[in-house]
Amino acid sequence: MTTASQFRVADAPPQNWVDRWAPAFARPYMRLMRLDRPIGTWLLLLPCWWSIALAAEGWPDPLLMLLFAIGALVMRGAGCTFNDIVDRDFDAKVERTRLRPIPSGAVSLRAAWVFLAVQLLAGLGILLMLSPLAILLGFASLGLVAIYPFMKRVTYWPQFVLGLAFNWGALMGYAAAANRLTLAPVLLYLASIAWTIGYDTIYAHQDKDDDALIGVKSTALRFGPMTHRWMWGFYGAMTLGLVAAGAVADLGLAYYAGVALAAAHLVSQILRLDIDDPARCLALFRSNRDFGFIVLAAIVAGRLI
């Protein structure tokens, strides 16, 4: 007898809502979108919310926040679907990913392409509701999304390309709220790239042994036992970037108190990191959602206080 757990990938939370409540026919597609693992959606969404809050005079626009939440959910799903199509042969050879819908046979390659097209159309519908500049930026991001899955084949720095793509919302959110860009969201974007390299390096340490065997490259393999030193650099750059963005945006003192709390969270990640403990790596990676909400609260407080 087939059970939901037989097809639940290793990094999906036990008893996640997809396994518990979703109709059986929909589960493979929801897993393809990573709806059973929402952390990636949060990490895509939070830089969008940061920049929307940064552009606001007071409270951020709730409708815009909602549109970006829906857009992040759909486009993260589309990105994961495309990534799984491209990486299907690699995924079948890695213990953590071999039960993903395509390598496990739960979703055919043709069905995955059709599903990708549906998600992209839904994302386009959301994008066309934004400002003209945000629409242009949205189309510009597609190139980064398209090349990212191939980077692990050619460079030990695919996390850098992921950072470029995953934090594009730090530009789009501001553009959607103000229909312009200033130095503050650009600084926020650059800082967020360093943050992504850091947290995705932690994530990549889960697969480093399999990756080395099958020829997949990552910063986890590049940094190896020097990972902690690199993390101080990337998370330090993120903190300095947040300070610089707040100064340029003329945020209040409450913002810097929040940034100090966020920085303490990053320091805690580094101190607790064990690169040879996959469960610890996954837990620390997921904790970046909390970091993101601390930064969001700091920006809102810096505008209101």
Side-chain angles (χ1 to χ4, degrees):
M1 180 177 178
T2 301
T3 64
S5 62
Q6 287 180 272
F7 293 99
R8 176 166 51 82
V9 297
D11 55 356
Q15 297 299 308
N16 65 80
W17 74 274
V18 171
D19 288 345
R20 295 179 65 189
W21 306 113
F25 75 88
R27 286 176 194 155
Y29 296 93
M30 298 174 84
R31 290 174 183 141
L32 198 57
M33 291 182 69
R34 308 292 197 271
L35 294 184
D36 56 340
R37 285 156 286 163
I39 179 60
T41 300
W42 285 117
L43 295 178
L44 181 64
L45 173 60
L46 283 161
C48 305
W49 279 0
W50 296 346
S51 62
I52 292 170
L54 196 65
E57 294 296 329
W59 289 99
D61 184 339
L63 178 58
L64 208 51
M65 300 276 275
L66 177 61
L67 286 175
F68 270 84
I70 298 171
L73 184 70
V74 171
M75 291 309 296
R76 191 249 179 161
C80 290
T81 301
F82 181 64
N83 186 81
D84 284 7
I85 290 171
V86 173
D87 283 352
R88 60 191 183 277
D89 294 331
F90 284 142
D91 286 346
K93 300 174 183 177
V94 175
E95 179 64 26
R96 186 179 60 83
T97 59
R98 64 183 180 83
L99 290 181
R100 284 181 175 174
I102 297 176
S104 70
V107 175
S108 71
L109 185 59
R110 180 178 179 180
W113 279 112
V114 172
F115 187 54
L116 173 61
V118 171
Q119 292 174 91
L120 290 175
L121 286 173
L124 177 62
I126 297 295
L127 179 64
L128 294 178
M129 299 174 69
L130 304 179
S131 72
L133 180 57
I135 292 172
L136 289 175
L137 288 170
F139 281 112
S141 71
L142 294 178
L144 291 170
V145 174
I147 67 171
Y148 165 67
F150 301 97
M151 291 298 100
K152 62 176 70 72
R153 294 159 168 80
V154 298
T155 177
Y156 282 100
W157 292 86
Q159 280 72 22
F160 173 68
V161 181
L162 178 66
L164 292 174
F166 228 61
N167 296 291
W168 200 255
L171 302 175
M172 284 189 62
Y174 198 97
N179 199 30
R180 62 190 176 95
L181 286 177
T182 65
L183 180 58
V186 173
L187 290 172
L188 189 64
Y189 174 62
L190 295 175
S192 299
I193 294 170
W195 175 50
T196 296
I197 296 173
Y199 70 61
D200 205 61
T201 297
I202 294 175
Y203 186 79
H205 270 289
Q206 297 176 93
D207 300 329
K208 60 188 175 186
D209 293 335
D210 286 332
D211 287 349
L213 286 173
I214 64 178
V216 169
K217 299 176 174 66
S218 72
T219 48
L221 290 173
R222 171 65 178 82
F223 302 158
M226 303 293 287
T227 292
H228 285 81
R229 293 188 182 182
W230 283 94
M231 294 296 295
W232 286 111
F234 290 122
Y235 279 176
M238 174 54 166
T239 302
L240 291 175
L242 288 174
V243 171
V248 170
D250 198 25
L251 297 180
L253 290 177
Y255 170 74
Y256 299 98
V259 168
L261 183 60
H265 187 286
L266 296 180
V267 169
S268 174
Q269 286 187 43
I270 298 172
L271 295 178
R272 294 165 56 204
L273 176 61
D274 180 350
I275 62 173
D276 295 317
D277 183 345
R280 175 68 63 85
C281 289
L282 181 59
L284 292 176
F285 167 75
R286 287 175 175 164
S287 76
N288 281 281
R289 181 194 64 174
D290 301 333
F291 168 83
F293 275 109
I294 294 170
V295 173
L296 177 62
I299 296 173
V300 173
R303 279 288 181 232
L304 296 177
I305 300 175

